[in-house]
Structure formats: structure tokens, C-alpha cells
Amino acid sequence: MAAPKEGVFHIEDISYWGPDMLMFIGTDLNGRPIELMQHYTQMSVLLCAVPKVKEEPRRIGFVLLETLERSKEE
């Protein structure tokens, strides 16, 4: 079975809108911006291996912590 191509994208950030909508922000395999919004009761994310965008890993979820630590230092 082939991997799904239409919905494949690199997740770069996760956010929310209102109390019940989750947003996945990233880029598709051609580098175009993608934003997927889903109600939390309909949440379904398929993880699959895709080529790296950058060699440096992007740690989703740790960005806020890093930003807060940097602001304390300033």
C-alpha cells in the first residue's frame, strides 16, 4: 500500500483557536505553507516518514520553554 501523499506535510508548530480547535502549522513536500484545523473530538493524525527539511531537528513543544528561558535572561 502506498503512503498517502495528499495530506503529508511537515508539522512545524501546534496551536489552538478558541477552546476546541487545534491547529497544525507546517509546510507540504513542495515547501508551501499548510495549516490544518481540527476540532479536538475529530483529532486524527497519521505519522509517516518523509525526507528531512533541515539537518537540525525541530522540537515541537519545546519552543515556548526556550522562548521563556531566553526572555528571563534578557
Side-chain angles (χ1 to χ4, degrees):
M1 176 155 63
K5 297 290 184 194
E6 295 298 318
V8 174
F9 67 99
H10 292 271
I11 297 173
E12 297 170 0
D13 199 8
I14 300 173
S15 185
Y16 65 93
W17 183 70
D20 52 4
M21 299 297 286
L22 294 172
M23 297 170 25
F24 294 89
I25 301 147
T27 54
D28 69 7
L29 298 177
N30 295 319
R32 294 178 298 193
I34 295 283
E35 195 169 300
L36 170 67
M37 284 182 73
Q38 285 189 308
H39 192 271
Y40 76 93
T41 61
Q42 301 293 318
M43 185 53 53
S44 176
V45 178
L46 172 65
L47 302 177
C48 62
V50 294
K52 290 182 180 181
V53 175
K54 300 176 184 175
E55 285 299 316
E56 176 181 311
R58 170 103 167 107
R59 305 281 189 228
I60 298 172
F62 294 96
V63 176
L64 178 60
L65 180 60
E66 291 171 0
T67 304
L68 291 173
E69 288 174 351
R70 269 188 260 141
S71 66
K72 286 180 184 178
E73 293 173 0
E74 295 174 356

